[in-house]
Amino acid sequence: EGNEEIQKRISIAKREMSLASLYNYIVINDELEKSVQDVRKIIDLRRKNMDFINNLINEIQTENKQSAA
């Protein structure tokens, strides 16, 4: 890579780092296999979180139906 390309990448990295607090997850893509594992972990975590939320909603709806009856 030439100096111009390196400077462009540094500029992009600085901007991304300044915005890091806006994101729930950060994946540093320096090792492909580790990055893939990290993304898979995030997806799994989000799925589990959604399952928990959906189960909680179902429990609340069931309780409300029972109390209304």
Side-chain angles (χ1 to χ4, degrees), residues 2-48:
N3 188 40
E4 187 176 317
E5 185 63 29
I6 292 171
Q7 291 304 317
K8 182 179 174 184
R9 292 175 129 229
I10 290 172
S11 176
I12 291 170
K14 285 180 180 179
R15 178 161 166 34
E16 289 174 348
M17 290 184 345
S18 73
L19 299 172
S21 65
L22 300 176
Y23 297 95
N24 293 322
Y25 305 97
I26 298 173
V27 176
I28 299 172
N29 190 12
D30 58 348
E31 295 176 39
L32 179 61
E33 200 54 43
K34 183 180 180 313
S35 299
V36 170
Q37 289 174 357
D38 290 345
V39 170
R40 285 182 175 157
K41 287 177 185 176
I42 292 168
I43 291 168
D44 187 47
L45 178 65
R46 297 296 293 180
R47 283 183 180 152
K48 288 179 181 175

